[in-house]
Amino acid sequence: MHLHRLRRRPSAAMVVALIALFAALGGVGYAATYLPANSVGTAQLQNASVSNHKILNGSVGNFKLATAAVGPRKMENGAVGTAQIDSSEVQTRVTGSCTAGAVTSVTSTGAVACGTAPGLEYDTSSTTPVTVPAGTTATAIASEPLPGASSYLVTASPYVHITNASAGEQVEVDCTLAAGPTTAAAETRSWTIEIGPNGLPETNSIPLEVTAPSNANSITTGVACTNEFTGGSSPTVTVTSNINAIQTASNTTAAARR
C-alpha cells in the first residue's frame, strides 16, 4: 500500500490574510523610510505621544526652541536647580547673612561677604512754627527717637522768628539740644537782640551739636527753647527746628534708614 503525501491548496481567507500582512509591513517600512521632511508636526502627534524616553539626550537645544516657548507652566517644580543653570549668567538664591555690619558682595553660589556698615542716619523737623511764650519754662520744638546700642552725633539748627516787639526792647532766646535717657549730652546756646527803632521782625538760627553716648535702650533727642525779654511788652517768638542724628558705632538691630 502506498502512502500519498496530502497536498492542500491555501484557502481564500488565508491568501487574503497573507496579502494584508505583507501590505501592512511594507507600508510601515515605507512610512519610516520615505516620509517627506516636516510631514509630521504637532497636528499629527497625540498629546503625550513624545515622552522623555523617545528623545535623545541633547537632541533638543536652545536653537530648536522658540523664544519664550518654555515658561513656568511647562516646567515641573524643582526641575531647574543649580546643576541646570550657568552660574556665570544666573545668580543662585542668596543663602548667607551678616550678623554684624552689612552685605558687601554676593557670590554666584549665593554666599555673602560682610563688611563694616556706614552709620544709619535719622532726621526730623518741626512741621509748623512753635510759639515760645515768655518765661523760663522750656517749650519743646522737635524730637526724634533713636535706637539703642549705638552712640550718635546729633545736630540741630533752631530757627527763631521775633515779631511784635517794642523799639529798644531786649529779647533773649535760649535753645537746648539734648540726647539720651538723661540730659548728660546737652548743649544750650542763646541769641540776644535789641529791637531796632522801627520794631521790625528779627530772625536768626542757633546751631547746636552734641555727642550721645551708647545706651542699651532706645533714647530720644530733642530741641526746646525759652524766651525772655526786658524793656517792653511781650514779643511773639516762634521757633522751627530740624534734628539730624548719625550713628557713630555699629548697631545691627537698628531699623532701616529713613
Side-chain angles (χ1 to χ4, degrees):
M1 182 177 180
H2 298 282
L3 298 176
H4 296 280
R5 181 176 297 177
L6 297 177
R7 296 181 180 178
R8 297 180 62 184
R9 293 181 180 181
S11 65
M14 179 64 71
V15 172
V16 172
L18 291 174
I19 293 174
L21 175 62
F22 287 121
L25 294 176
V28 172
Y30 176 84
T33 308
Y34 298 101
L35 282 177
N38 301 321
S39 62
V40 177
T42 54
Q44 287 76 37
L45 294 175
Q46 294 183 351
N47 291 337
S49 62
V50 180
S51 61
N52 293 339
H53 302 291
K54 298 178 182 178
I55 300 177
L56 292 175
N57 290 338
S59 62
V60 179
N62 294 338
F63 64 93
K64 294 183 180 179
L65 295 173
T67 302
V70 180
R73 291 182 296 178
K74 297 181 181 179
M75 301 174 64
E76 293 184 356
N77 291 335
V80 178
T82 55
Q84 287 78 35
I85 64 174
D86 186 346
S87 60
S88 65
E89 296 183 1
V90 180
Q91 171 68 59
T92 58
R93 183 183 298 275
V94 177
T95 57
S97 61
C98 295
T99 57
V103 175
T104 57
S105 63
V106 180
T107 67
S108 60
T109 59
V112 301
C114 304
T116 302
L120 297 181
E121 183 176 349
Y122 302 85
D123 59 80
T124 188
S125 60
S126 50
T127 56
T128 57
V130 178
T131 300
V132 180
T136 58
T137 301
T139 299
I141 308 301
S143 64
E144 175 74 0
L146 302 175
S150 176
S151 57
Y152 292 89
L153 175 64
V154 186
T155 60
S157 295
Y159 183 78
V160 184
H161 186 62
I162 301 174
T163 58
N164 301 321
S166 303
E169 183 177 7
Q170 190 175 65
V171 181
E172 178 181 332
V173 178
D174 300 327
C175 290
T176 300
L177 171 63
T182 65
T183 58
E187 181 184 38
T188 300
R189 298 186 67 180
S190 302
W191 174 47
T192 302
I193 186 170
E194 183 175 323
I195 305 301
N198 296 322
L200 297 177
E202 300 286 350
T203 58
N204 191 31
S205 61
I206 305 175
L208 300 169
E209 179 180 305
V210 298
T211 300
S214 179
N215 191 358
N217 300 318
S218 61
I219 63 175
T220 299
T221 180
V223 173
C225 299
T226 61
N227 156 36
E228 297 183 72
F229 68 95
T230 57
S233 59
S234 178
T236 300
V237 177
T238 59
V239 181
T240 58
S241 182
N242 68 316
I243 299 176
N244 182 268
I246 301 176
Q247 286 182 335
T248 56
S250 176
N251 182 2
T252 59
T253 62
R257 184 184 300 272
R258 301 183 183 183

